[in-house]
Amino acid sequence: MNNRVVGGACLLAALAADQASKFWILDVYDLPARESVPLLPVLNLTMVWNHAITFGMLGGAGAAGRVIFSVAALAIVTGLGVWLARTPRVWVAAALGMIMGGAIGNVIDRLRYGAVVDFIHAHAFGWSWPVFNIADALIDCGVAILIIDNLRTRDAN
């Protein structure tokens, strides 16, 4: 199968999973009214409107941040699209699709709601991970795949 098709399919699957989860959280389950719901001793659904970028960085950008972060994300997605079109490796294509789909999902949130919808809260033994969403998880997994692929490629040379 063509790597562009694999990457495109992963992009669409990532985007669909992200947007479907956010639709369910906001419009079906109504997490904003519930604020935080324990699921497991180490996992809650917790509503957070993220006006910043990863881990709340650059949160002081105000209303301009919505546009700046969206334009920056779309520029990165464009660059990743060029990489996707040129890669000969299927795993790289899949990872790029996951990253691009997640990034586009978060851009949709910024443009639609003015903030990214975050709702997954992992915690244990007094430790708490910042609240995130499916798009963030897919971006992280895609980056991890790229790092592993790069390390394996270096070892092979």
Side-chain angles (χ1 to χ4, degrees):
M1 181 179 290
N2 182 321
N3 290 345
R4 292 178 194 169
V5 173
V6 170
C10 288
L11 183 157
L12 292 174
L15 182 57
D18 174 64
Q19 291 297 295
S21 68
K22 291 170 180 173
F23 170 78
W24 185 81
I25 283 295
L26 294 175
D27 298 325
V28 176
Y29 192 67
D30 193 20
L31 187 59
R34 300 169 192 245
E35 296 181 13
S36 186
V37 178
L39 296 179
L40 299 169
V42 296
L43 185 68
N44 292 12
L45 293 178
T46 301
M47 188 66 224
V48 172
W49 294 99
N50 185 354
H51 296 274
I53 58 174
T54 305
F55 306 126
M57 293 186 298
L58 303 176
R66 172 176 156 176
V67 174
I68 293 167
F69 301 149
S70 295
V71 169
L74 292 175
I76 292 167
V77 166
T78 301
L80 294 176
V82 171
W83 185 2
L84 171 62
R86 295 178 179 173
T87 188
R89 294 195 300 281
V90 68
W91 286 110
V92 171
L96 292 169
M98 292 166 59
I99 296 166
M100 293 165 62
I104 293 168
N106 284 341
V107 167
I108 290 170
D109 289 4
R110 286 189 193 289
L111 298 177
R112 185 171 181 194
Y113 305 113
V116 174
V117 177
D118 287 338
F119 56 90
I120 303 168
H121 182 205
H123 53 86
F125 310 110
W127 174 84
S128 179
W129 189 257
V131 180
F132 62 98
N133 61 41
I134 300 296
D136 299 334
L138 290 166
I139 290 167
D140 290 347
C141 289
V143 169
I145 292 168
L146 292 178
I147 291 169
I148 292 166
D149 179 75
N150 187 301
L151 293 173
R152 288 179 46 137
T153 303
R154 283 186 184 179
D155 288 345
N157 292 330

